Amino acid sequence: MVSSCGGESPAPTNSFLSFLSHSWQSGTCDSDEASRFLRNYAAWELNAFLWISLIGITSLLTQKLFKLFNLWIQARRIPGLPCPSFYGHSSLISRESLTDLLSDSHRRYGSVVKLWLGPTQLLVSIKDPKLIKEMLMKAKDKLPLTGKAFQLAFGQSSLFASSFDKVQKRRDSLTNELNGRLLERANVMPTKAMDCIMEKVQQIMRKGSVDCKMVSQHMAFTMLGATLFGDAFLDWSKAALYEELLMLIAKDAFFWASYNVTPFWKQGFWRYQHLCTRLKSLTQDIVQQCRKNYKIFCCMNPSSNNQTVESGMETTSGAPSCSGNVVQDNLSMQGLNNHLHAREEPCGNIMGVMFHGCLTTAGLINNMLARLATHPEIQDKIHSEIMSKKGSVKGDQHNVDTMPLLLATVYESARLLQAAPLLQRCSPEHDLRLLSGVIIPAGTVLVVPVQLVQMDDSSWGTDAGEFNPYRFLSKTGKNSDSVQKKGAEELLDHGRCSFVFNHPDNNAAFLPFGSGTRACIGQKFAIQAVATLFASLLEQYEVKLLPGLETPSTTMKNSSVIKKFPSPEIVFVGRNT
């Protein structure tokens, strides 16, 4: 193609391609710039995140390191055994030797001693009764193992939790329920419940002797069940199965709770959970039986319905305290079900109380049976005391408050009870400052060696290791001196009970029920119930060792530590035979 000027015109195709080429080159540069910016921005963000993470981790580790050094520095001010290694005294501590180790430490270093459980875990043991009382008032929280054991078995509950804030309302409500009802009546153990217990004992005795531990377990179970559920429990056909399941769960509860992570992968754990599910089903069944009996009772006595509601006996779930005969004479379950959280179940709280109550009460009954069997002279004195007060109340009831020797025997059996060797508390967030000047770092495991305190000669006299109920008796009059054993026996022989029971509540060294803000809320109930149980028992039966069996030795004492008191084979002999 020729132009009008005679020259050739540029090809339009080449011009367009040049334009596209220039545009493409410009777009490529813009794209490269954007990609380079995005890569740089991503790298900057990543570096910022890594720096922030590094600073955060470094700060956290620095805080932990500071706390660790602070723990070590504060712990140096507390006397105790020197650490044999970086891992502390873990190689010296075992379930059998820990109490002996603490006994030796207190003897060498004083009333407050330390042990290192590991490089970051400190244990402080306190033996002085005054310091114990102060510590138990200030350190309100417990270690989480106990709460975990209850939750694995019975579900979420604020009644058995390590934090005091979670249990305070429930404890206050339950304390008022238990102690209020106990103060209103003298008889805790119904005659029907006692007959039910002895019927079971007689069945066992037909096969031979009675194992003291086994019969104590059954007595505690029946006593607590009759108190919580009323006569419906005594007539319940599944009570024996309930008792068997409860004891199986009690055997393994703390084993499964000892795992840091719940062992879902273990087959034995699922068998354990199956037992817990069956126990829950049985608990629901007995609650339904209570409701049924209550409705029948209300139909027979319409006026009693309003009286029961007015007296506060109706539970929050709509099921009043129930008894086939006298509803208002039984403890209700109101205190167990007040202040429920959304995830809690009333049955779980009931099972927890049965679990804990049966174990602790059975231990006390077992120890008292063994002591009476090996001290027949004290048993005879108690029988005389019971018979002398027989006509002071109506019917078959017993006013144990007028039986000082019986109460003293219950408390002395509790003092010598081989319960858990340590009473544990913790102060997880703040240092604990005692009036003596001792500062215990936050996070320290605080323990009270109960057996050492209750076997201490300075608190209980030179016979601290002996069974002597007379230590809880005092003369009447201005000079309330402690009664000597011989003097008390002479008073009883002549039928002149001119001495009174010296309650150990003011003695800081009496710790079978704990002390302070987390003390056992069922102490009054347990003492009253066990005393009434033995008043009914000793009125009709005499507790003896199996004929031909050597009398077990009394509590052996070594460095103020209870070593062993065997659970003997016993028999019940009728008083009229």
Side-chain angles (χ1 to χ4, degrees):
M1 180 176 183
V2 181
S3 66
S4 59
C5 296
E8 295 182 353
S9 62
T13 304
N14 293 338
S15 299
F16 181 72
L17 291 175
S18 297
F19 173 78
L20 291 177
S21 175
H22 177 74
S23 299
W24 179 81
Q25 289 177 359
S26 299
T28 302
C29 292
D30 291 342
S31 177
D32 289 343
E33 289 293 331
S35 299
R36 189 179 300 111
F37 174 77
L38 290 175
R39 286 195 299 271
N40 291 338
Y41 182 78
W44 182 83
E45 288 285 342
L46 179 62
N47 288 336
F49 173 76
L50 292 176
W51 274 106
I52 293 174
S53 299
L54 180 61
I55 293 172
I57 294 173
T58 303
S59 176
L60 180 62
L61 292 177
T62 302
Q63 290 179 8
K64 288 185 175 294
L65 191 62
F66 175 78
K67 289 182 179 180
L68 180 60
F69 278 112
N70 186 52
L71 176 65
W72 288 350
I73 292 172
Q74 288 183 307
R76 290 183 62 183
R77 304 170 185 171
I78 303 175
L81 293 174
C83 288
S85 68
F86 179 74
Y87 299 100
H89 302 91
S90 57
S91 60
L92 301 177
I93 296 175
S94 65
R95 183 175 298 180
E96 293 77 16
S97 63
L98 178 58
T99 305
D100 291 334
L101 182 63
L102 290 177
S103 176
D104 181 66
S105 298
H106 281 292
R107 187 170 58 253
R108 293 172 59 183
Y109 298 102
S111 59
V112 180
V113 298
K114 68 182 178 185
L115 288 178
W116 284 101
L117 303 179
T120 62
Q121 192 170 16
L122 178 67
L123 180 145
V124 173
S125 176
I126 302 177
K127 187 182 176 183
D128 182 79
K130 293 182 179 179
L131 295 180
I132 290 173
K133 186 175 182 179
E134 180 186 358
M135 183 272 287
L136 292 177
M137 289 297 297
K138 293 181 177 180
K140 301 179 180 180
D141 293 336
K142 285 187 175 183
L143 298 178
L145 178 61
T146 302
K148 185 179 178 182
F150 283 105
Q151 290 178 9
L152 282 178
F154 314 124
Q156 294 291 332
S157 172
S158 64
L159 187 58
F160 301 98
S162 57
S163 173
F164 181 73
D165 293 336
K166 293 182 179 180
V167 303
Q168 185 175 9
K169 289 183 179 179
R170 183 68 58 78
R171 283 174 56 89
D172 293 341
S173 175
L174 189 56
T175 300
N176 293 334
E177 182 71 16
L178 288 172
N179 295 342
R181 296 299 298 172
L182 285 175
L183 294 177
E184 291 177 5
R185 60 183 181 172
N187 181 29
V188 176
M189 172 59 61
T191 304
K192 186 175 181 180
M194 188 65 221
D195 294 339
C196 183
I197 290 173
M198 292 315 302
E199 181 180 353
K200 178 72 173 180
V201 171
Q202 293 295 341
Q203 292 177 0
I204 299 174
M205 286 180 57
R206 294 189 188 100
K207 303 176 182 179
S209 60
V210 176
D211 179 76
C212 193
K213 183 177 181 180
M214 181 178 64
V215 73
S216 301
Q217 169 191 304
H218 180 69
M219 285 181 173
F221 174 77
T222 305
M223 180 180 67
L224 190 59
T227 304
L228 288 178
F229 302 108
D231 291 348
F233 183 81
L234 301 177
D235 298 327
W236 189 35
S237 60
K238 300 177 183 178
L241 177 59
Y242 194 98
E243 180 181 357
E244 180 182 357
L245 288 175
L246 192 66
M247 292 304 109
L248 288 174
I249 292 172
K251 182 180 178 182
D252 297 332
F254 289 96
F255 170 75
W256 295 115
S258 63
Y259 284 85
N260 293 327
V261 179
T262 304
F264 299 107
W265 60 92
K266 287 187 173 290
Q267 187 176 3
F269 175 76
W270 291 109
R271 288 196 296 266
Y272 171 74
Q273 287 292 292
H274 177 66
L275 295 177
C276 296
T277 302
R278 292 179 63 191
L279 189 70
K280 178 181 177 181
S281 177
L282 289 176
T283 304
Q284 293 171 339
D285 182 71
I286 184 57
V287 170
Q288 292 297 327
Q289 294 292 328
C290 285
R291 292 176 179 176
K292 185 185 301 183
N293 282 15
Y294 174 75
K295 291 178 181 179
I296 294 173
F297 177 78
C298 288
C299 292
M300 296 173 59
N301 301 273
S303 61
S304 66
N305 192 12
N306 294 332
Q307 295 174 358
T308 303
V309 176
E310 290 174 0
S311 63
M313 294 294 291
E314 188 172 1
T315 65
T316 56
S317 61
S321 176
C322 43
S323 174
N325 297 318
V326 186
V327 179
Q328 59 268 28
D329 281 347
N330 289 280
L331 288 176
S332 73
M333 292 170 283
Q334 179 182 4
L336 300 180
N337 296 330
N338 282 344
H339 311 291
L340 283 177
H341 296 169
R343 299 176 61 186
E344 292 186 70
E345 297 180 1
C347 283
N349 296 320
I350 295 170
M351 289 187 291
V353 170
M354 288 291 293
F355 174 90
H356 185 72
C358 283
L359 293 183
T360 54
T361 309
L364 176 56
I365 294 174
N366 178 37
N367 195 36
M368 190 166 175
L369 283 174
R371 301 290 177 180
L372 291 177
T374 54
H375 294 80
E377 71 286 355
I378 295 179
Q379 187 176 168
D380 292 338
K381 305 298 181 184
I382 295 175
H383 177 257
S384 300
E385 183 180 61
I386 294 171
M387 299 310 295
S388 66
K389 301 295 182 180
K390 181 63 177 174
S392 60
V393 292
K394 297 179 181 180
D396 296 328
Q397 297 181 359
H398 296 88
N399 185 4
V400 296
D401 291 332
T402 63
M403 304 175 187
L405 182 57
L406 175 59
L407 288 175
T409 304
V410 176
Y411 276 95
E412 178 69 351
S413 299
R415 185 185 72 87
L416 295 175
L417 181 62
Q418 279 187 279
L422 299 176
L423 184 62
Q424 300 179 351
R425 293 288 187 274
C426 63
S427 182
E429 298 180 357
H430 306 287
D431 294 347
L432 187 65
R433 300 174 182 270
L434 302 179
L435 296 178
S436 62
V438 177
I439 300 177
I440 301 175
T444 301
V445 179
L446 299 163
V447 299
V448 177
V450 178
Q451 294 183 2
L452 298 183
V453 175
Q454 297 191 154
M455 292 291 102
D456 193 359
D457 291 349
S458 61
S459 298
W460 302 102
T462 56
D463 64 341
E466 300 178 6
F467 177 71
N468 179 18
Y470 303 104
R471 74 176 76 250
F472 292 107
L473 300 178
S474 297
K475 297 178 182 178
T476 56
K478 295 182 179 180
N479 297 324
S480 182
D481 297 330
S482 178
V483 174
Q484 298 296 326
K485 184 174 181 180
K486 182 178 178 181
E489 288 182 351
E490 290 177 353
L491 290 171
L492 285 171
D493 285 335
H494 291 86
R496 297 180 291 107
C497 296
S498 56
F499 56 91
V500 295
F501 174 67
N502 186 20
H503 205 285
D505 274 356
N506 296 327
N507 190 341
F510 185 77
L511 296 171
F513 298 97
S515 184
T517 54
R518 295 295 288 263
C520 177
I521 60 178
Q523 175 179 349
K524 291 183 179 179
F525 162 73
I527 294 296
Q528 189 86 357
V530 171
T532 308
L533 170 67
F534 275 88
S536 300
L537 176 67
L538 297 179
E539 179 187 357
Q540 304 177 42
Y541 297 93
E542 184 179 1
V543 184
K544 293 185 176 182
L545 293 172
L546 179 67
L549 184 69
E550 294 183 0
T551 302
S553 59
T554 56
T555 305
M556 293 184 293
K557 187 179 176 187
N558 182 11
S559 302
S560 300
V561 181
I562 299 177
K563 288 298 182 183
K564 185 179 180 182
F565 188 81
S567 179
E569 296 287 323
I570 60 175
V571 293
F572 294 91
V573 180
R575 291 284 180 178
N576 297 328
T577 59

